Amino acid sequence: MNLPDSLWAASAAPAADTPPLAGKQGADVAIVGGGFTGLSAALHLAEAGKSAIVMEAGEPGWGASGRNGGQVNPGWRIAPSEIAAKYGGNRAPAVLDMLDRAPDLVFDLIGRHGIACDHERPGFVHAGFGRFGKAYLEAWVKEWGELGVTVERYDRAGLEALIGTGFYHLGMRDPRGGHLQPLSYARGLARAAIAKGAAIHGKTRVRGVHREGRGWRLATDGGEVEAEHVLLCTNGYTDKVWPGLGKAVAPLTSFIAATEPLDAERLRQVLPGRHAVAETRRALHYFRLDRDNRFVIGGRGNFTNLNEPGSVEHLKRVATRIYPALEGVGWRYKWGGRAALTPDHTPRLFKLADRVHAGLGFNGRGVAMGSMFGVQLTRAVLGEETDMPIEPIDVIPNHAFRQFGLTWFLVTGRLLDRGDARETPPAFG
Ligand SMILES: Cc1cc2nc3c(=O)[nH]c(=O)nc-3n(C[C@H](O)[C@H](O)[C@H](O)COP(=O)(O)OP(=O)(O)OC[C@H]3O[C@@H](n4cnc5c(N)ncnc54)[C@H](O)[C@@H]3O)c2cc1C
């Protein structure tokens, strides 16, 4: 379970010592999974005076948390009105407020715990095509605007001045977003949690979770943990440790490619404002620069083959279409990782049994939301009210056929995306 040969593994801050679990241990809370969600939960639990033990099959950040695009995205893919409709009048304001605060939480944690992770907050840019992109962006600007967020809209020329490409028809900049080095952030969360008293064990796969008296016993190859509470924080890497949990999400492998550092001439043309950019397309791409001015682009990879790394040739082609100045640049890194999708694009906070909770289904937006779910899971343990509703587990219908469904979504999505890109560029009304 080594880290992939990624840009993040090559440029991360050093990892804290997280030896495998040995022998019998006890804690208030046992946490399965050492990504942003599990690590944030451990940190917040430790700050609340609870003893927490994290068990991670690889090392902290080994999963998606150490492999992602590092974009601190505001919001979910669906607009506030859809969120309000889903959660209803009583719950929606708390959910929307939580969503609004999630990017701040990331930058606050970085500041409060002195996490060195090359973070920048130039804003998050959404760029799109055609009537679909326009409707999406208009809803975002209007609805988040009504909630007090000042989102700037850009037509094609304005967007070109902002991000250096006239490839898109229109876009917007949401000031809440930014980017960071994700593996360094995960390692920083681990260090902060350990400093507050949490125990973190790498190379420790949990093999089973069983009731033990009033609490739970978690068995690993080298030891076991007895705990009053259990948190499952395994997202796209959910295995069979809790029967049925894997059926609540559809794992999706996403790929990323990164160039050599760009020279000064290219840098004048590519992302001059150093924004984090994501497309509104259904089969979307996202891109940014890293600390050393490498261009980093990711996109939906393969629904049918969850192995990594896959081909990233399509990402290189797309990158050069977006920024012709990237023609001839050297591409140094390619890697992949698993995200977890849900049918309605929203994450889940489950109560699986007495004092057993899970937080997962971040739909490719887990930098801010995984960190925030650590807070939500902490509140669930403390018996405090959560912003996110706690639900019984709900599994995806016909989960066994999910790959066909996802492939269908990707294929039809790409066709619709192509149609949007060919439309006459619309202007904001
Ligand atoms: C390529 C890619 C790009 C992405 N880009 C972005 C982005 O730019 N912005 C954004 O917000 N989000 C992005 N995401 C999504 C984001 O990375 C995830 O939502 C987030 O990292 C999830 O964090 P997590 O802690 O819940 O899960 P993970 O980080 O995936 O961690 C789960 C961990 O659980 C461990 N585990 C599983 N089973 C067991 C077991 N039985 N015992 C012990 N350990 C176990 C695994 O080893 C794994 O490390 C991206 C995802 C991918 C794959």
Side-chain angles (χ1 to χ4, degrees), residues 54-113:
V54 178
M55 285 158 280
E56 162 54 50
E59 63 175 89
W62 179 90
S65 297
R67 302 161 185 245
N68 61 69
Q71 299 203 354
V72 184
N73 305 126
W76 293 334
R77 184 158 177 87
I78 57 175
S81 56
E82 291 172 81
I83 295 170
K86 175 175 162 65
Y87 294 100
N90 285 344
R91 298 301 311 228
V95 174
L96 285 165
D97 183 52
M98 172 197 77
L99 196 48
D100 183 39
R101 285 183 286 108
D104 283 344
L105 171 71
V106 172
F107 292 104
D108 286 352
L109 285 171
I110 291 170
R112 205 147 38 89
H113 298 284

Coordinates of all heavy atoms in Angstrom, one line a residue, residues 54-113:
V54 N -7.2 6.3 15.1 CA -7.5 6.1 13.6 C -6.7 4.9 13.1 O -5.6 4.7 13.4 CB -7.0 7.4 12.8 CG1 -7.2 7.2 11.3 CG2 -7.7 8.6 13.4
M55 N -7.4 4.1 12.4 CA -6.8 2.9 11.7 C -6.9 3.1 10.2 O -8.0 3.2 9.7 CB -7.5 1.6 12.1 CG -7.1 1.2 13.6 SD -8.3 0.1 14.3 CE -9.5 1.3 14.8
E56 N -5.7 3.1 9.6 CA -5.7 3.4 8.1 C -4.9 2.3 7.4 O -3.8 2.0 7.8 CB -5.0 4.8 7.9 CG -4.5 5.1 6.5 CD -5.5 4.9 5.4 OE1 -6.6 5.5 5.5 OE2 -5.2 4.2 4.4
A57 N -5.5 1.7 6.4 CA -4.9 0.6 5.7 C -3.5 0.9 5.1 O -2.6 0.1 5.0 CB -5.8 0.0 4.7
G58 N -3.4 2.2 4.6 CA -2.2 2.6 3.9 C -1.4 3.5 4.9 O -0.9 3.1 5.9
E59 N -1.4 4.8 4.6 CA -0.9 5.8 5.5 C -1.8 7.0 5.4 O -2.7 7.1 4.5 CB 0.5 6.2 5.1 CG 0.6 6.9 3.8 CD 2.0 7.4 3.5 OE1 2.8 6.6 2.9 OE2 2.3 8.5 3.8
P60 N -1.8 7.9 6.4 CA -2.7 9.1 6.3 C -2.6 9.8 5.0 O -1.5 10.1 4.5 CB -2.2 10.0 7.5 CG -1.7 9.0 8.5 CD -1.0 8.0 7.7
G61 N -3.7 9.9 4.3 CA -3.7 10.5 3.0 C -3.5 9.5 1.8 O -3.5 9.9 0.7
W62 N -3.4 8.2 2.1 CA -3.2 7.2 1.1 C -4.3 7.2 0.1 O -4.1 7.0 -1.1 CB -3.0 5.9 1.7 CG -2.7 4.8 0.7 CD1 -1.5 4.4 0.2 CD2 -3.7 4.0 0.0 NE1 -1.7 3.4 -0.8 CE2 -3.1 3.2 -0.9 CE3 -5.1 4.0 0.1 CZ2 -3.7 2.3 -1.7 CZ3 -5.8 3.1 -0.7 CH2 -5.1 2.2 -1.6
G63 N -5.5 7.4 0.5 CA -6.7 7.3 -0.4 C -6.8 8.6 -1.2 O -5.9 9.2 -1.6
A64 N -8.1 8.9 -1.5 CA -8.3 10.1 -2.4 C -7.7 11.3 -1.8 O -7.4 12.3 -2.5 CB -9.8 10.2 -2.6
S65 N -7.7 11.4 -0.4 CA -7.2 12.7 0.2 C -5.8 13.1 -0.2 O -5.5 14.2 -0.2 CB -7.4 12.6 1.7 OG -8.7 12.4 2.0
G66 N -5.0 12.1 -0.5 CA -3.6 12.4 -0.9 C -3.4 12.4 -2.4 O -2.3 12.5 -2.9
R67 N -4.5 12.3 -3.2 CA -4.3 12.1 -4.6 C -5.2 13.1 -5.4 O -5.1 13.1 -6.6 CB -4.8 10.7 -5.0 CG -4.2 9.6 -4.4 CD -5.0 8.3 -4.5 NE -4.5 7.2 -3.8 CZ -4.0 6.1 -4.3 NH1 -4.1 5.9 -5.6 NH2 -3.5 5.2 -3.6
N68 N -6.0 13.9 -4.8 CA -7.0 14.7 -5.5 C -6.4 15.9 -6.1 O -5.2 16.2 -6.0 CB -8.2 15.0 -4.6 CG -7.7 15.8 -3.4 OD1 -7.4 17.0 -3.5 ND2 -7.7 15.2 -2.2
G69 N -7.3 16.7 -6.7 CA -6.9 17.9 -7.4 C -6.5 19.1 -6.5 O -5.9 20.1 -6.9
G70 N -6.8 18.9 -5.2 CA -6.4 19.9 -4.2 C -7.3 21.2 -4.3 O -6.9 22.2 -3.7
Q71 N -8.4 21.1 -5.0 CA -9.2 22.3 -5.1 C -10.2 22.3 -3.9 O -10.9 21.4 -3.6 CB -10.1 22.2 -6.4 CG -9.2 22.1 -7.7 CD -9.9 22.6 -8.9 OE1 -11.1 22.9 -8.9 NE2 -9.2 22.7 -10.0
V72 N -10.2 23.5 -3.3 CA -11.1 23.7 -2.2 C -12.4 24.3 -2.8 O -12.5 25.5 -3.1 CB -10.5 24.6 -1.1 CG1 -11.5 24.8 0.1 CG2 -9.1 24.2 -0.7
N73 N -13.3 23.4 -3.1 CA -14.5 23.8 -3.9 C -15.6 24.3 -2.9 O -15.9 23.6 -1.9 CB -15.2 22.6 -4.6 CG -14.2 21.9 -5.5 OD1 -14.0 20.7 -5.4 ND2 -13.6 22.7 -6.4
P74 N -16.2 25.4 -3.2 CA -17.4 25.8 -2.5 C -18.6 25.1 -3.0 O -18.7 24.8 -4.2 CB -17.5 27.3 -2.7 CG -16.7 27.6 -4.0 CD -15.8 26.4 -4.2
G75 N -19.5 24.8 -2.2 CA -20.8 24.2 -2.7 C -20.7 22.8 -3.1 O -19.7 22.2 -3.2
W76 N -21.9 22.2 -3.4 CA -22.0 20.9 -4.1 C -22.4 21.2 -5.6 O -22.6 22.3 -6.0 CB -23.1 20.1 -3.4 CG -22.8 19.7 -2.0 CD1 -21.6 19.5 -1.5 CD2 -23.8 19.4 -1.0 NE1 -21.7 19.2 -0.2 CE2 -23.0 19.1 0.1 CE3 -25.1 19.4 -0.9 CZ2 -23.6 18.7 1.4 CZ3 -25.7 19.0 0.3 CH2 -25.0 18.7 1.4
R77 N -22.5 20.1 -6.3 CA -22.8 20.3 -7.7 C -24.2 20.9 -7.9 O -24.5 21.6 -8.9 CB -22.7 19.0 -8.5 CG -22.9 19.2 -10.0 CD -22.3 18.1 -10.8 NE -22.6 18.3 -12.2 CZ -21.9 19.1 -13.1 NH1 -20.8 19.7 -12.6 NH2 -22.3 19.2 -14.3
I78 N -25.1 20.6 -7.0 CA -26.5 21.1 -7.2 C -26.7 22.4 -6.5 O -26.0 22.8 -5.6 CB -27.5 20.1 -6.6 CG1 -27.3 19.8 -5.2 CG2 -27.5 18.8 -7.5 CD1 -28.4 18.9 -4.5
A79 N -27.6 23.2 -7.1 CA -27.8 24.6 -6.6 C -28.5 24.6 -5.3 O -29.2 23.7 -4.9 CB -28.7 25.3 -7.6
P80 N -28.4 25.7 -4.5 CA -29.1 25.9 -3.2 C -30.6 25.5 -3.3 O -31.1 24.9 -2.3 CB -28.8 27.3 -2.8 CG -27.5 27.6 -3.5 CD -27.5 26.9 -4.8
S81 N -31.3 25.9 -4.4 CA -32.7 25.6 -4.4 C -33.0 24.1 -4.4 O -33.9 23.6 -3.8 CB -33.4 26.3 -5.6 OG -32.7 25.8 -6.8
E82 N -32.1 23.4 -5.1 CA -32.3 21.9 -5.1 C -31.9 21.3 -3.7 O -32.6 20.3 -3.3 CB -31.4 21.3 -6.2 CG -31.8 21.6 -7.6 CD -30.7 21.1 -8.6 OE1 -30.7 19.9 -8.9 OE2 -29.9 22.0 -9.0
I83 N -31.0 21.9 -3.1 CA -30.6 21.5 -1.7 C -31.8 21.7 -0.8 O -32.2 20.9 0.0 CB -29.3 22.2 -1.3 CG1 -28.1 21.7 -2.1 CG2 -29.0 21.9 0.2 CD1 -26.9 22.5 -1.9
A84 N -32.4 22.9 -0.9 CA -33.5 23.3 -0.1 C -34.7 22.3 -0.3 O -35.3 21.8 0.6 CB -33.9 24.7 -0.4
A85 N -34.9 22.0 -1.6 CA -36.0 21.0 -1.9 C -35.7 19.7 -1.3 O -36.6 19.0 -0.8 CB -36.2 20.9 -3.4
K86 N -34.4 19.2 -1.3 CA -34.1 17.9 -0.9 C -34.3 17.8 0.7 O -34.8 16.8 1.2 CB -32.7 17.5 -1.2 CG -32.2 16.2 -0.7 CD -30.9 15.8 -1.1 CE -30.3 14.7 -0.3 NZ -30.9 13.4 -0.2
Y87 N -33.8 18.8 1.4 CA -33.7 18.7 2.8 C -35.0 19.3 3.5 O -35.2 19.1 4.7 CB -32.4 19.3 3.4 CG -31.2 18.5 3.0 CD1 -30.5 18.9 1.9 CD2 -30.9 17.3 3.6 CE1 -29.4 18.1 1.5 CE2 -29.9 16.5 3.1 CZ -29.1 16.9 2.1 OH -28.0 16.2 1.7
G88 N -35.7 20.2 2.8 CA -36.9 20.7 3.4 C -36.6 21.9 4.2 O -35.5 22.2 4.7
G89 N -37.7 22.7 4.5 CA -37.6 24.0 5.2 C -36.9 23.9 6.5 O -36.2 24.8 6.9
N90 N -37.1 22.8 7.3 CA -36.5 22.8 8.6 C -35.0 22.6 8.6 O -34.3 23.2 9.4 CB -37.1 21.6 9.4 CG -38.5 21.9 9.9 OD1 -38.9 23.1 9.9 ND2 -39.3 20.9 10.3
R91 N -34.6 21.7 7.7 CA -33.2 21.3 7.7 C -32.3 22.1 6.8 O -31.1 22.3 7.0 CB -33.0 19.8 7.4 CG -33.6 18.8 8.3 CD -33.1 18.9 9.7 NE -31.7 18.9 9.9 CZ -31.0 18.1 10.7 NH1 -31.7 17.3 11.5 NH2 -29.7 18.2 10.9
A92 N -32.9 22.6 5.7 CA -32.1 23.2 4.6 C -31.2 24.3 5.1 O -30.0 24.4 4.7 CB -33.0 23.6 3.4
P93 N -31.7 25.3 5.9 CA -30.8 26.4 6.3 C -29.5 25.9 6.9 O -28.5 26.5 6.7 CB -31.7 27.2 7.2 CG -33.1 26.9 6.8 CD -33.1 25.4 6.4
A94 N -29.6 24.9 7.8 CA -28.4 24.4 8.5 C -27.5 23.7 7.5 O -26.2 23.9 7.5 CB -28.8 23.4 9.6
V95 N -28.0 23.0 6.5 CA -27.2 22.3 5.5 C -26.5 23.4 4.7 O -25.3 23.3 4.4 CB -28.0 21.4 4.7 CG1 -27.2 20.8 3.5 CG2 -28.6 20.2 5.5
L96 N -27.2 24.4 4.2 CA -26.6 25.4 3.4 C -25.6 26.2 4.1 O -24.5 26.6 3.6 CB -27.7 26.3 2.8 CG -28.6 25.7 1.7 CD1 -29.9 26.5 1.5 CD2 -27.8 25.6 0.4
D97 N -25.9 26.5 5.4 CA -24.9 27.2 6.2 C -23.6 26.4 6.4 O -22.5 26.9 6.3 CB -25.5 27.5 7.6 CG -24.6 28.4 8.4 OD1 -24.1 29.4 7.9 OD2 -24.3 28.0 9.6
M98 N -23.8 25.1 6.6 CA -22.6 24.2 6.7 C -21.8 24.2 5.5 O -20.6 24.3 5.5 CB -23.1 22.8 7.1 CG -22.0 21.7 7.0 SD -22.7 20.1 6.9 CE -23.1 20.0 5.1
L99 N -22.5 24.1 4.3 CA -21.9 24.1 3.0 C -21.1 25.4 2.8 O -20.0 25.4 2.3 CB -23.0 24.0 2.0 CG -22.7 23.5 0.6 CD1 -21.8 22.3 0.6 CD2 -24.0 23.2 -0.1
D100 N -21.7 26.5 3.2 CA -21.1 27.8 3.0 C -19.8 27.9 3.8 O -18.8 28.5 3.4 CB -22.1 28.9 3.4 CG -21.5 30.3 3.2 OD1 -20.9 30.5 2.1 OD2 -21.8 31.2 4.0
R101 N -19.8 27.3 5.0 CA -18.7 27.5 5.9 C -17.5 26.5 5.7 O -16.5 26.6 6.2 CB -19.1 27.3 7.4 CG -19.9 28.5 8.0 CD -20.3 28.3 9.4 NE -21.4 27.3 9.6 CZ -21.3 26.1 10.1 NH1 -20.1 25.7 10.5 NH2 -22.3 25.3 10.2
A102 N -17.8 25.5 4.8 CA -16.8 24.4 4.7 C -15.4 24.9 4.2 O -14.4 24.5 4.7 CB -17.4 23.3 3.8
P103 N -15.4 25.7 3.1 CA -14.0 26.2 2.7 C -13.3 27.0 3.8 O -12.1 26.9 4.0 CB -14.4 27.1 1.5 CG -15.7 26.6 1.0 CD -16.4 26.2 2.2
D104 N -14.1 27.8 4.5 CA -13.5 28.6 5.6 C -12.9 27.6 6.6 O -11.8 27.9 7.2 CB -14.5 29.4 6.4 CG -14.9 30.7 5.6 OD1 -14.1 31.0 4.7 OD2 -15.9 31.3 5.9
L105 N -13.6 26.5 6.9 CA -13.1 25.6 7.9 C -11.7 25.1 7.5 O -10.7 25.0 8.3 CB -14.0 24.4 8.0 CG -13.5 23.2 8.8 CD1 -13.4 23.6 10.3 CD2 -14.3 22.0 8.7
V106 N -11.5 24.8 6.2 CA -10.2 24.3 5.7 C -9.1 25.3 6.0 O -8.1 25.0 6.5 CB -10.3 23.9 4.2 CG1 -8.9 23.6 3.6 CG2 -11.2 22.8 3.9
F107 N -9.4 26.5 5.5 CA -8.3 27.6 5.7 C -8.1 27.9 7.1 O -7.0 28.2 7.6 CB -8.7 28.8 4.8 CG -8.5 28.5 3.3 CD1 -9.7 28.3 2.5 CD2 -7.3 28.3 2.7 CE1 -9.6 27.9 1.2 CE2 -7.2 28.0 1.4 CZ -8.3 27.8 0.6
D108 N -9.2 27.8 8.0 CA -9.0 28.1 9.4 C -8.1 27.0 10.0 O -7.3 27.3 10.9 CB -10.4 28.1 10.1 CG -11.1 29.3 9.8 OD1 -10.6 30.2 9.2 OD2 -12.3 29.4 10.2
L109 N -8.4 25.7 9.7 CA -7.6 24.6 10.2 C -6.1 24.8 9.9 O -5.3 24.6 10.7 CB -8.1 23.3 9.7 CG -9.5 22.8 10.3 CD1 -10.0 21.5 9.5 CD2 -9.3 22.4 11.8
I110 N -5.9 25.2 8.6 CA -4.5 25.4 8.1 C -3.9 26.4 9.0 O -2.7 26.3 9.5 CB -4.5 25.7 6.6 CG1 -5.0 24.6 5.8 CG2 -3.2 26.3 6.2 CD1 -5.2 24.9 4.3
G111 N -4.6 27.5 9.2 CA -4.0 28.6 10.0 C -3.9 28.3 11.5 O -2.8 28.5 12.1
R112 N -4.9 27.6 12.0 CA -4.9 27.4 13.5 C -3.8 26.3 13.8 O -3.2 26.4 14.9 CB -6.3 26.8 13.8 CG -6.7 27.0 15.3 CD -8.2 27.3 15.5 NE -9.1 26.5 14.6 CZ -9.6 25.3 14.9 NH1 -9.2 24.7 16.0 NH2 -10.5 24.8 14.2
H113 N -3.6 25.4 13.0 CA -2.6 24.3 13.3 C -1.3 24.4 12.5 O -0.5 23.5 12.5 CB -3.3 22.9 13.0 CG -4.5 22.7 13.9 ND1 -4.4 22.4 15.2 CD2 -5.8 22.8 13.6 CE1 -5.6 22.3 15.7 NE2 -6.5 22.6 14.7

